[in-house]
Amino acid sequence: MSSVSAFAAKPNSIVKQGSCFPSRLSRKICNSLIISAIFLYIIYIFLSNHPYKRASPDHFIAGITSPTNISHFFFGIAASSNTWSNKRFYVQSWWRPNATRGLLFMDKSPVQHLPWPSPYPPFRVSEDNSRYEEYNKHAMPFAIRMVRVIEETFKEEHDEGVVRWYVMADDDTVLLIDNLVEVLSKYDHRKYFYVGMKSECIVSNSIHSFEMGFGGAGYALSYPLAKVLAQNMDLCIKRYPTLFGSDHILQSCIADLGVSLTQEKGFHQIDLHRDISGLLSAHPHSPFLSLHHLDAVEPIFPSMNRIDSLNHLMKAAAIDQSRLLQQTICYYNKNNWTFSVSWGYSVQIYDFGSKHGFVYKESCIADLGVSLTQEKGFHQIDLHRDISGLLSAHPHSPFLSLHHLDAVEPIFPSMNRIDSLNHLMKAAAIDQSRLLQQTICYYNKNNWTFSVSWGYSVQIYDNIFPPSYLYRPLETFIPWKKGATLPYMFNTRVLSTDPCEAPHFFFFVSVDEKRVMDHIVTSYTRRSPRGLPACISSGNHSADFVSKVRVLSPLKNLGWEVVGMDSLAIKLRNRMNDEIVA
């Protein structure tokens, strides 16, 4: 816990009316406040715990015998020779010679900076990418070079016994590496993990992806994920020639492996301008991990330039990174004052206290220092009309709830709302853990793609689409409120009448009582004729003749066969090790 006190001109007068909320417990722990006309000294004392819950060390994860430390990290930093003079200060602020390991990847040899100073990370010149010229249709012209930094980093250091995490960043990214060690220690580095954070701005997320870790903020890849990405980088680059930049190419390739972004709030892309002191003074109760785009905002401390401001902040970081920017709220009730302390950065004093209502009008839970733990399976459904597109692309997370079913169309065609709900619960009664879980399957002979939402729907596309595309819901619905410029907190696909893009829709009918080869069998029938010709560009193989689909499902992915002139059977299996769609 914490305590707050102040010293003034009259040391004999002590006012016992302080309270402070640095963590989950809302106790009065500010022991005394004494106010001086000139100076206010707040003594900020942390005991055993911090405002955020400390990471569980990974040596408590089964099979991991030693905790993760900085020697298990390898950094890949994308840089430019032309801008290194202005960017080097950012890397220099966090890089620790003889402790951190990694490489700077330059677009060309930095001859103007040679001989290369030892305090900087060693550099490499990026490999020639001319062989990818026909696939370089990106708005960001250097996207291919940037995304291949992952592959080149792995080639330079790929000893699984040494490296657990690859941390990717830009040359203007500032990292807090002690906090990175603590945060990544929560995760099992032997599994696929993609750890980062989306942008602060909804526009940036909408343009790219709400499921994308922004590279300027930095992101971490576990060893096995980095390995499979390095092995399949050529395929990824050729599959996504038109995406804006390297981060989106990477996220799409990772999504094709069935891996979603693990969000950590301490990564900061800073897609902002002007003064960001308001943001930094209200940092979430989560370890502060990175800053980016400091050239695009005002210096973070007044009366200092950008470099001096950054170095000033790192002075506090050198004392204790785990406390840096962690916010604590305190009160001095006698004067109705509220204090907001952002450790190592700022203190804000408000001339009103708790009796006038808290500054942050969120909830009583927030007043206890508790933040929301997000689970993607909860669904508020602030939408209207047909939500089948949303339910058919449920995220890979247990389906937990639905709301506002009176405000949308029945979730099954030709049924009313009550019958639709009861029909869905028939599948739930068999196995809730599978309900709505999306699986992508392929029948290469006909160039067909299947999207199976277990217990709800099957979509058949007369074309091959990667999972990253099909994970985005079809926009069969409309926003809760009309006229919203960016109405959703997720990316969507627009409905199309192009036969190469429009799916054949099938909906859940029944679960067979008998199992087939120890598989649960669910059946789905066509909603209505699609009314479109075949997709000529993919071979003119239409699925119009299919009226029924049966799904045999122990786990995931495709093995299937034709069982009749108008029926298909899809047998789901586990994804094979390092399997990615060819």
Side-chain angles (χ1 to χ4, degrees), residues 352-366:
F352 57 89
S354 56
K355 74 175 184 179
H356 293 286
F358 190 39
V359 183
Y360 184 43
K361 299 178 181 178
E362 188 71 16
S363 68
C364 292
I365 294 177

Side-chain angles (χ1 to χ4, degrees), residues 253-308:
C253 289
I254 292 175
D256 290 347
L257 288 164
V259 180
S260 58
L261 177 68
T262 298
Q263 296 186 21
E264 283 288 347
K265 295 180 180 180
F267 289 105
H268 296 285
Q269 172 71 6
I270 310 295
D271 284 340
L272 306 168
H273 288 293
R274 298 187 183 175
D275 178 9
I276 62 168
S277 63
L279 179 74
L280 299 183
S281 296
H283 192 275
H285 288 172
S286 182
F288 173 44
L289 300 175
S290 72
L291 280 177
H292 184 230
H293 280 159
L294 291 181
D295 281 343
V297 298
E298 297 174 8
I300 57 177
F301 286 102
S303 305
M304 293 185 185
N305 61 34
R306 290 185 175 90
I307 302 303
D308 289 343

Side-chain angles (χ1 to χ4, degrees), residues 172-191:
D172 59 346
T173 306
V174 177
L175 296 172
L176 284 299
I177 53 179
D178 291 343
N179 284 348
L180 273 171
V181 170
E182 180 170 353
V183 166
L184 294 179
S185 293
K186 295 187 297 185
Y187 305 109
D188 189 341
H189 62 273
R190 301 165 300 179
K191 300 178 180 179

Side-chain angles (χ1 to χ4, degrees), residues 12-233:
N12 294 327
S13 60
I14 299 177
V15 183
K16 297 180 180 178
Q17 295 190 32
S19 61
C20 185
F21 299 84
S23 62
R24 297 186 176 185
L25 302 179
S26 56
R27 300 173 180 172
K28 292 187 177 182
I29 58 171
C30 298
N31 295 326
S32 61
L33 279 171
I34 309 171
I35 307 305
S36 167
I38 301 176
F39 297 102
L40 176 67
Y41 298 92
I42 299 179
I43 302 176
Y44 194 82
I45 304 173
F46 271 78
L47 300 180
S48 60
N49 60 317
H50 300 305
Y52 56 83
K53 184 178 180 180
R54 295 184 66 88
S56 299
D58 56 4
H59 59 280
F60 290 122
I61 300 173
I64 299 179
T65 57
S66 61
T68 291
N69 59 58
I70 192 60
S71 70
H72 296 121
F73 284 45
F74 199 82
F75 296 88
I77 306 165
S80 170
S81 177
N82 291 339
T83 60
W84 178 244
S85 293
N86 298 325
K87 306 291 188 181
R88 57 191 174 92
F89 302 102
Y90 298 118
V91 175
Q92 197 172 2
S93 70
W94 61 268
W95 185 260
R96 298 176 186 174
N98 303 319
T100 44
R101 300 187 309 124
L103 293 168
L104 276 167
F105 286 89
M106 295 284 192
D107 53 344
K108 60 183 179 181
S109 180
V111 291
Q112 66 272 38
H113 303 293
L114 299 178
W116 193 252
S118 58
Y120 299 160
F123 76 87
R124 298 286 187 274
V125 176
S126 295
E127 295 176 2
D128 179 25
N129 294 304
S130 58
R131 68 183 184 277
Y132 298 110
E133 192 61 36
E134 65 177 297
Y135 305 102
N136 190 7
K137 302 173 184 178
H138 307 284
M140 180 187 290
F142 44 86
I144 291 176
R145 182 181 82 86
M146 297 281 280
V147 77
R148 290 198 67 239
V149 167
I150 299 159
E151 178 186 1
E152 294 182 44
T153 300
F154 187 83
K155 287 180 180 178
E156 291 281 350
E157 177 54 87
H158 51 266
D159 186 342
E160 189 172 6
V162 176
V163 181
R164 296 182 179 182
W165 294 96
Y166 293 89
V167 179
M168 315 308 296
D170 291 348
D171 55 2
D172 59 346
T173 306
V174 177
L175 296 172
L176 284 299
I177 53 179
D178 291 343
N179 284 348
L180 273 171
V181 170
E182 180 170 353
V183 166
L184 294 179
S185 293
K186 295 187 297 185
Y187 305 109
D188 189 341
H189 62 273
R190 301 165 300 179
K191 300 178 180 179
Y192 285 0
F193 272 107
Y194 169 42
V195 184
M197 192 61 195
K198 57 190 176 183
S199 173
E200 300 86 358
C201 286
I202 190 171
V203 173
S204 298
N205 297 316
S206 181
I207 292 172
H208 301 285
S209 172
F210 282 91
E211 296 298 318
M212 185 182 89
F214 278 70
Y219 53 81
L221 305 172
S222 60
Y223 180 93
L225 181 56
K227 179 180 179 181
V228 70
L229 286 170
Q231 292 170 341
N232 290 279
M233 190 56 67

